[in-house]
Amino acid sequence: MNAKKLAAEKAVSFLENGMTVGLGTGSTAYWAIEKIGEKVNKDKWKIRAIATSLRSEEQARSLGIPILSFAEIDVIDVTIDGADEVDGQLHLIKGGGGALLREKIVATNSRQMIVVADESKKVKTLGKFPLPVEVVIFGWERTFEKLKKLGCNPGRRMNQAEPYLTDNGNYIVDCAFGEINDPAGLHEQINAITGVVDNGLFIHIASKLVLGFENGNTQVISG
Ligand code: 5RP
């Protein structure tokens, strides 16, 4: 069974015709966008969407899902997005796909964020997955050093021989901290560094988690 697809499709069952929806990024959010496309095309749902990355926007447009800008909407009803790790309090690490900034802007402007993930993403303590941090290119070397001083092993993300660039034209530094015992505190410390745009810790943002399991089950956990 495709656990990611199961979780994503279950999450779409919480949507309603007429909603404004935030579209996440990644291989799990992909399935949610496909399912929303089906609702628009087969069930003639009137959905308006805002995408968290250029690739999700492209996928949505190819399915005929109307994409809007923030200037055209008041509030997003529900955002469905994936995660690299999720803990028992629904705190997340995101940004494995490089879209953390747009993802956080969309999620924090949504009435509800539903996280979709396969069972492997559920952890007791965040931090096994290196924390993605989006940094501006100007002075990135100094920003990198300051991140290292917070106690992590940082690596600038690469795209083959070139530095990886986000949709916003910034770099990503992946910061291996190991166990993160105070995610809220670390979030504040990282974002206090000038040159950091934002980091992949999502604290008290997600309100529901839909997990998919290889055996075909899904589990919904509300925060
Ligand atoms: C992209 C993200 C993704 O949601 C996260 O990386 C999970 O991706 P996938 O669903 O492919 O495992 O944060 O920036």
Side-chain angles (χ1 to χ4, degrees), residues 4 24-29 55 81-84 93-100 103 116 118 121 129:
K4 293 183 178 198
T25 295
S27 57
T28 318
R55 63 183 182 277
D81 202 351
D84 300 298
I93 285 183
K94 285 185 55 54
L100 68 99
E103 290 172 337
V116 285
D118 65 65
K121 305 290 184 64
F129 190 91

Side-chain angles (χ1 to χ4, degrees), residues 134-152:
E134 182 155 348
V135 305
V136 294
I137 296 177
F138 184 81
W140 77 270
E141 297 90 340
R142 296 291 92 77
T143 309
F144 185 94
E145 282 166 13
K146 287 175 185 163
L147 285 167
K148 193 170 184 179
K149 282 198 184 128
L150 290 181
C152 68

Side-chain angles (χ1 to χ4, degrees), residues 23 51-62 67 102:
L23 305 175
T52 56
S53 63
L54 299 178
R55 63 183 182 277
S56 292
E57 181 175 329
E58 200 178 309
Q59 182 192 356
R61 284 192 196 284
S62 76
I67 291 288
R102 293 189 186 203

